[in-house]
Amino acid sequence: MTDLSSLPLRESLRGQSPYGAPQLDVPYMLNTNENTHPVPPQVAEAITARVATVAGGLNRYPDREFTALRERLAVYLGHGITPDQVWAGNGSNEVLQQILQAFAGPGRTLLSFLPSYSMYPLLAAGTDTAFVDGGRAPDHTLSADHAAEQVRRHRPHVVFLASPNNPTGTALGLETIEAVYAAQARNEAEGGHGAMVVVDEAYAEFALEGTASALTLLPGRERLIVTRTMSKAFALAGARLGYLAADPAVTDALRLVRLPYHLSAITQATAIAALEHVDALLETVEDIKAQRDRIVDTLRRLGLSPSVSDSNFVFFGRLRDAHAVWEALLTRGVLVRDVGIPEHLRVTAGTQDETTAFLDALGEVLREDPAAVVRG
Ligand SMILES: *Cc1c(COP(=O)(O)O)cnc(C)c1O
């Protein structure tokens, strides 16, 4: 056996760490933003029945164009989106990777704004794309002016905007997306190149009232891509299904890089069955939003500073030693996420019981050490 450092690994992967949120076996797993509610029994049965109908035909490759699934995804998205504007992959991570394979790669640049989803730099490294961090304001917000200025300065080929952002949980105003789009158009008009602008809406279903989706911006913007996933609100992280809406030419581009038959017949059957039961699947969303709002209120009362959350998780600051609090919570059976930002932790809004367990454990930890909270 040899070790990694002695293998002829590509330069861009040397020294990198793989994506690695801890998968620990503890009573309360609130660290990866899954929907912690199980799939409702009637939906699990519908999935089983549909998978059973395709099992006998698994000797053949699946529908390469996943036509029936794209039709259903288009209906679910609404906003007049047609099936030829829809594309899907094994999780939105695969879709994001395909976007970089088609539009980025060696000699090209991906611009994003950290702190954001930890996979973005890894997807760049995996496709030999240069990654540029445009940065955020000290309170982690991203203004239209700042984002547009970074696009003008760095002239990227692809821009990733998470809305709501992970780990902070706050959605972007549409004016920021419009400004980024306009800035890449100006880059091109000046004789350079434009950029594909990707809005990652993995948590769109949890948005606060009045938060608009970037889907509303698609008409007339053929470089805009909006990605979604079934991993969060749909409670189907284990099924691996992510998708996007964009101009039909974008799906043509992605056909050039996708692996043959990348979406298995089992995945297609599972996703179609899920989309036939959207109402039952999304029933937990309102409850999760209520738990999220409860977390925000309680953390404020504890003297902490939770960010506005359009998602199923809450990012909060003012912890003198965030990692010590992370460990103290783990001792009490509650696993949250230490995203490596000083004074901050991120917690997923789970069921009512899980949320209570987290809030009780945190209350206890902070009572035991009153100096744990930085007074603002
Ligand atoms: C969880 C998450 C995803 C989802 O990834 P899948 O591959 O669809 O499971 C995408 N983007 C962000 C920002 C996320 O937090």
Side-chain angles (χ1 to χ4, degrees):
M1 220 178 117
T2 181
D3 63 31
L4 183 55
S5 62
S6 62
L7 291 176
L9 193 65
R10 278 165 41 201
E11 297 301 335
S12 55
L13 298 181
R14 280 186 196 278
Q16 297 257 351
S17 304
Y19 175 85
Q23 288 191 307
L24 305 179
D25 194 13
V26 296
Y28 304 104
M29 290 189 285
L30 303 175
N31 72 325
T32 48
N33 298 343
E34 292 138 317
N35 187 328
T36 68
H37 296 257
V39 176
Q42 75 271 31
V43 183
E45 274 162 36
I47 290 172
T48 311
R50 239 189 202 277
V51 169
T53 66
V54 302
L58 289 176
N59 57 311
R60 297 288 182 186
Y61 283 117
D63 173 13
R64 197 168 45 213
E65 287 293 315
F66 44 101
T67 313
L69 174 56
R70 287 163 66 196
E71 281 165 4
R72 290 195 184 273
L73 287 169
V75 170
Y76 170 69
L77 285 176
H79 293 93
I81 287 161
T82 52
D84 61 348
Q85 292 183 267
V86 174
W87 184 255
N90 296 281
S92 48
N93 272 281
E94 182 176 73
V95 170
L96 294 171
Q97 183 180 54
Q98 290 173 337
I99 291 168
L100 294 183
Q101 287 175 317
F103 298 106
R108 293 190 168 206
T109 302
L110 166 66
L111 172 68
S112 196
F113 301 87
L114 303 183
S116 192
Y117 188 37
S118 60
M119 278 304 300
Y120 296 160
L122 291 177
L123 291 167
T127 54
D128 258 330
T129 302
F131 181 86
V132 174
D133 171 18
R136 285 173 183 261
D139 66 355
H140 307 300
T141 57
L142 180 60
S143 70
D145 285 349
H146 175 77
E149 185 197 297
Q150 294 299 306
V151 173
R152 297 284 286 152
R153 177 181 307 170
H154 297 293
R155 303 183 174 262
H157 298 81
V158 179
V159 183
F160 280 177
L161 299 166
S163 180
N165 189 40
N166 179 0
T168 50
T170 315
L172 286 174
L174 292 187
E175 72 281 359
T176 298
I177 298 162
E178 289 175 293
V180 164
Y181 196 90
Q184 66 78 29
R186 272 179 67 197
N187 287 348
E188 183 170 33
E190 290 170 2
H193 57 80
M196 300 304 296
V197 177
V198 182
V199 185
D200 179 349
E201 292 192 346
Y203 301 93
E205 287 87 355
F206 298 107
L208 292 164
E209 215 169 284
T211 298
S213 166
L215 291 173
T216 59
L217 298 178
L218 281 175
R221 292 186 179 83
E222 51 290 312
R223 303 240 168 118
L224 182 63
I225 303 176
V226 182
T227 64
R228 296 278 186 99
T229 181
M230 288 193 172
S231 295
K232 308 287 160 60
F234 276 79
L236 285 173
R240 309 305 300 128
L241 200 287
Y243 56 103
L244 64 72
D247 189 271
V250 173
T251 60
D252 285 340
L254 299 179
R255 277 189 191 86
L256 299 171
V257 298
R258 62 105 184 270
L259 294 173
Y261 315 105
H262 69 294
L263 268 191
S264 84
I266 292 172
T267 304
Q268 294 183 40
T270 301
I272 289 170
L275 289 163
E276 284 171 346
H277 295 83
V278 170
D279 291 345
L281 266 180
L282 295 185
E283 232 163 49
T284 59
V285 167
E286 286 310 313
D287 185 53
I288 293 166
K289 287 164 70 174
Q291 299 309 319
R292 171 205 57 207
D293 294 340
R294 183 180 155 219
I295 295 174
V296 170
D297 291 345
T298 311
L299 295 185
R300 272 205 197 111
R301 267 187 274 119
L302 288 170
L304 299 166
S305 61
S307 300
V308 173
S309 177
D310 284 284
S311 59
N312 66 337
F313 58 88
V314 179
F315 179 72
F316 57 99
R318 289 209 191 139
L319 295 170
R320 194 172 306 283
D321 184 348
H323 195 72
V325 173
W326 180 86
E327 274 182 345
L329 289 171
L330 188 56
T331 311
R332 289 165 174 79
V334 181
L335 179 60
V336 302
R337 188 70 161 267
D338 178 359
V339 290
I341 299 173
E343 295 189 8
H344 289 77
L345 291 174
R346 192 195 72 189
V347 63
T348 306
T351 61
Q352 180 162 356
D353 286 352
E354 289 168 324
T355 302
T356 301
F358 160 70
L359 292 173
D360 287 354
L362 184 66
E364 229 175 83
V365 171
L366 298 186
R367 264 195 308 278
E368 273 173 21
D369 177 12
V373 179
V374 179
R375 299 291 155 190

